[in-house]
Amino acid sequence: MDSIGNILSNNRKSKKMTLKELALLSGVGPSTISDIETGKAKHPRMDTLEKLAKALDISVGVFLIVMFHQIIQK
């Protein structure tokens, strides 16, 4: 199962978007995005994930599925 960071990074790169561009579009700081992508931020806030999903034009559900899988595997 992919991590939230991998899903975020893959979607950003598939849209040919830089970290800075995603930050501008989403209103989420580039350091926060980087921390999520690298796994440094293990539990990003829901409002952050919603902003990123909207900027990437994906469903926030993509992130929620990963979170759900992480919870049930513990």
Side-chain angles (χ1 to χ4, degrees), residues 26 28-29 34 47 58 61 63 66:
S26 66
V28 175
S34 177
D47 63 321
I58 61 173
F63 297 126
V66 172

Side-chain angles (χ1 to χ4, degrees), residues 3-56:
S3 69
I4 290 174
N6 286 343
I7 290 170
L8 177 58
S9 178
N10 290 340
N11 276 279
R12 178 178 61 79
K13 290 174 182 175
S14 75
K15 307 241 187 231
K16 310 249 189 282
M17 202 180 290
T18 66
L19 240 158
K20 190 172 183 177
E21 290 169 332
L22 179 56
L24 289 172
L25 267 175
S26 66
V28 175
S31 61
T32 300
I33 296 170
S34 177
D35 287 351
I36 295 170
E37 287 188 355
T38 61
K40 187 175 177 184
K42 302 233 182 266
H43 305 288
R45 293 172 24 172
M46 181 56 66
D47 63 321
T48 299
L49 295 177
E50 288 172 341
K51 290 175 185 177
L52 292 168
K54 183 175 181 180
L56 291 167

